[in-house]
Amino acid sequence: MTKTRKAMSTSNELYEISPIPVLKDNIIWVWVSGQEAVVIDPSLTEPVKQWLQDRNLNLIAVLQTHHHSDHIGGTEGLTKTWPKAKVIAAKSDRERIPFQTISVSDGDKISLMESKLTVIDVAAHTKNHIAFYLPTERRAQNQPALFCGDTLFGGGCGRLFEGSPEDMYRALNRLASLPSETRIYCAHEYTEDNLKWASALFPNNNQIKNRLHKVSKLRQQGKLSLPSTLSEEKSTNLFLLAKTSQELGKLRKHKDSW
Ligand SMILES: [Zn+2]
C-alpha cells in the first residue's frame, strides 16, 4: 500500500501540492491554495472526488498533459460534480481531449489561484504532450514546480509512442533549462525501476547508486519517491545526461526491452 504524503509546507507558502496514488503506479497531483484546488491528470473520478470533498475543497480546474486514458479518464466525472471547473489542455489535441474548455499552446500563460502557469510544448511521448510550469512567486517561498505528465520521470523518461528520440531530446532539454530547484511532479511512480536499470547499465556510478538506495528505502516504507528535483534528475537521470538524440534513442530502446 502506498500512503499519501503531504508536501512540506510552511505558513509562508502560497499553496500545497499533494499526491493521490491510484491504479498500479499513477499519481494524481492536487495543487491546493486556500479552499481551491487544481487537479493534474486525473485518471479516475472517485478517489479525487473523495479527497476533495473530505477537505471541503472546490475544484476550479483540471490540467491535462496528454490524452492517454490514465490521465484524462476521471475528468468528465469530476466536472459533473464541479461544473464550473475549467479543463485546460493542448489546443492541438482537441480531438482526443474533446471536453477541454481552455485550449492552450506553447508559451501560453494561465492565471490560476494566485499563480501564473506557463505551458511548455514537450511533444515526444505523444505528439501533443504539454507540461505546466509553476514558477516561484516573489511573495512566497514555494519552490518552482513542474507538472510534466509522462515526459520526465524520476530517473527516466516517457516511452516514444508518437515522437522520435529527437523530439524527446528537445523536450528534455527544454525542461533542463528550468531552475535546478524545480520540483518534478511526474504522473507515475517509476523511479525505483528506472534507477535499477540505470544502475545495472552503469554499476560504477555512485550518484545513481546512492539515489537508488534512498528511493528503495522510501518505497519499502510505503512512501513515494516524488516529487524529485531537477538537479537530482540532472545528475542521475540517464536521459537528461544523454549528450545527443542518438544516445537518448539508444537508451530508450534499451530500457524498452529491459
Ligand atoms: Zn501517457
Side-chain angles (χ1 to χ4, degrees), residues 66 68 70-71 125-126 150 161 188:
H66 66 296
H68 285 158
D70 62 328
H71 294 255
H125 173 71
T126 69
D150 288 357
F161 289 122
H188 291 272

Side-chain angles (χ1 to χ4, degrees), residues 98-123:
F99 43 82
Q100 58 181 275
T101 55
I102 296 184
S103 306
V104 295
S105 314
D106 187 50
D108 283 355
K109 304 246 192 273
I110 315 152
S111 292
L112 279 176
M113 302 198 283
E114 285 175 67
S115 304
K116 210 171 243 181
L117 286 169
T118 303
V119 176
I120 306 174
D121 174 356
V122 285

Side-chain angles (χ1 to χ4, degrees), residues 92-223:
S92 50
D93 236 348
R94 247 193 216 139
E95 269 175 39
R96 300 192 291 188
I97 312 178
F99 43 82
Q100 58 181 275
T101 55
I102 296 184
S103 306
V104 295
S105 314
D106 187 50
D108 283 355
K109 304 246 192 273
I110 315 152
S111 292
L112 279 176
M113 302 198 283
E114 285 175 67
S115 304
K116 210 171 243 181
L117 286 169
T118 303
V119 176
I120 306 174
D121 174 356
V122 285
H125 173 71
T126 69
K127 65 178 191 227
N128 301 308
H129 199 303
I130 53 175
F132 298 90
Y133 175 63
L134 179 56
T136 296
E137 301 293 326
R138 224 173 281 156
R139 63 192 181 284
Q141 288 188 348
N142 291 87
Q143 277 175 275
L146 177 73
F147 300 110
C148 50
D150 288 357
T151 298
L152 176 60
F153 290 125
C157 76
R159 283 177 187 253
L160 296 171
F161 289 122
E162 298 176 1
S164 63
E166 289 74 26
D167 293 331
M168 186 55 89
Y169 186 71
R170 175 191 152 273
L172 293 182
N173 268 313
R174 292 198 73 183
L175 300 183
S177 69
L178 296 171
S180 60
E181 71 272 22
T182 303
R183 288 186 179 211
I184 308 297
Y185 294 89
C186 336
H188 291 272
E189 175 61 69
Y190 290 155
T191 318
E192 189 177 18
D193 179 70
N194 285 331
L195 293 172
K196 277 183 181 164
W197 162 76
S199 195
L201 214 51
F202 295 97
N204 297 323
N205 185 315
N206 284 329
Q207 278 181 297
I208 293 174
K209 209 188 282 173
N210 292 342
R211 187 176 177 199
L212 172 60
H213 182 72
K214 193 182 87 180
V215 165
S216 297
K217 223 170 167 182
L218 283 171
R219 300 299 292 145
Q220 277 163 20
Q221 294 166 355
K223 291 176 183 165

Side-chain angles (χ1 to χ4, degrees), residues 64-83:
Q64 308 278 203
T65 63
H66 66 296
H67 75 284
H68 285 158
S69 59
D70 62 328
H71 294 255
I72 66 170
T75 304
E76 286 178 287
L78 288 170
T79 55
K80 283 201 179 95
T81 305
W82 290 277

Side-chain angles (χ1 to χ4, degrees), residues 26-95:
N26 279 73
I27 305 171
I28 302 169
W29 294 104
V30 192
W31 167 30
V32 177
S33 179
Q35 287 311 113
E36 295 188 326
V38 173
V39 167
I40 297 93
D41 285 353
S43 37
L44 303 172
T45 302
E46 279 313 312
V48 181
K49 192 174 153 183
Q50 191 74 52
W51 198 97
L52 295 173
Q53 287 178 339
D54 284 351
R55 292 160 181 80
N56 273 320
L57 296 169
N58 179 29
L59 179 70
I60 63 156
V62 174
L63 307 180
Q64 308 278 203
T65 63
H66 66 296
H67 75 284
H68 285 158
S69 59
D70 62 328
H71 294 255
I72 66 170
T75 304
E76 286 178 287
L78 288 170
T79 55
K80 283 201 179 95
T81 305
W82 290 277
K84 284 184 184 161
K86 309 265 188 285
V87 179
I88 302 167
K91 194 182 206 164
S92 50
D93 236 348
R94 247 193 216 139
E95 269 175 39

